[in-house]
Amino acid sequence: MTDKFVYHCTLRWSDLDAYGHVNNARFLTLYEEARVALMFAGGRAWGVGSFADGVVIRRHEVDYLRPVDYALGRASVETAPTVRIELWVEQLRAASFTVAYELYDGDVLASTARSVLVPFDLAAQRPRRISPDERAFLLRYAPGLTSRAGEAP
């Protein structure tokens, strides 16, 4: 079964730029929080803790569709406003994978993005292949994807 991973990310006052919108560079931080929740917390819960041993970003691609405000109307005394980030695995190769994201401000799509990630052996300081357990976990969040021919599922 495959699903999108959904993460609700709290906005911080420091995320804002001089115009009162979430700064463009901070979108990458929001996407990072969602990706870390998927790979580290989600992976560990599924019995896959190896992503914490090393994963590096090879590429980011971000499309900004509309500004995101801090939106005090969506906050309360106890909680800051949040955005919803939906992410999934768009491509899975032997030694890299692509995570796609959609960031929603309320019900409005505000940004889309992609990150190409490479598992990395920190001790050897070199890329490594995706393990069978990692592949099985990532396929859980890969709608319509199956393993490529010649690769372990």
Side-chain angles (χ1 to χ4, degrees):
M1 178 179 170
T2 60
D3 287 310
K4 290 182 179 179
F5 183 83
V6 179
Y7 183 76
H8 296 273
C9 190
T10 301
L11 297 177
R12 296 155 300 258
W13 191 254
S14 62
D15 291 336
L16 303 181
D17 61 18
Y19 302 110
H21 303 126
V22 174
N23 183 290
N24 287 9
R26 292 298 185 127
F27 276 70
L28 286 174
T29 301
L30 300 174
Y31 287 132
E32 176 187 42
E33 284 189 34
R35 185 177 63 251
V36 165
L38 167 68
M39 292 189 327
F40 296 171
R44 240 184 228 119
W46 215 61
V48 178
S50 53
F51 289 120
D53 295 336
V55 176
V56 296
I57 299 291
R58 189 174 82 201
R59 183 182 194 311
H60 283 303
E61 173 185 317
V62 181
D63 289 312
Y64 303 97
L65 307 176
R66 67 176 291 274
V68 174
D69 298 323
Y70 190 75
L72 289 173
R74 288 187 288 136
S76 71
V77 173
E78 292 94 20
T79 61
T82 61
V83 292
R84 184 178 82 250
I85 300 172
E86 298 181 7
L87 57 154
W88 63 96
V89 176
E90 189 174 70
Q91 186 175 56
L92 185 55
R93 295 181 178 244
S96 70
F97 58 100
T98 301
V99 173
Y101 317 81
E102 292 177 339
L103 184 146
Y104 291 88
D105 182 10
D107 291 329
V108 178
L109 181 62
S111 175
T112 60
R114 284 179 180 74
S115 299
V116 178
L117 295 99
V118 176
F120 198 78
D121 182 331
L122 293 172
Q125 287 295 295
R126 67 174 181 236
R128 65 173 178 80
R129 296 178 77 77
I130 294 171
S131 74
D133 288 342
E134 291 169 337
R135 179 172 301 281
F137 171 73
L138 293 170
L139 282 170
R140 178 182 173 124
Y141 298 102
L145 261 188
T146 57
S147 291
R148 292 178 8 176
E151 293 182 359

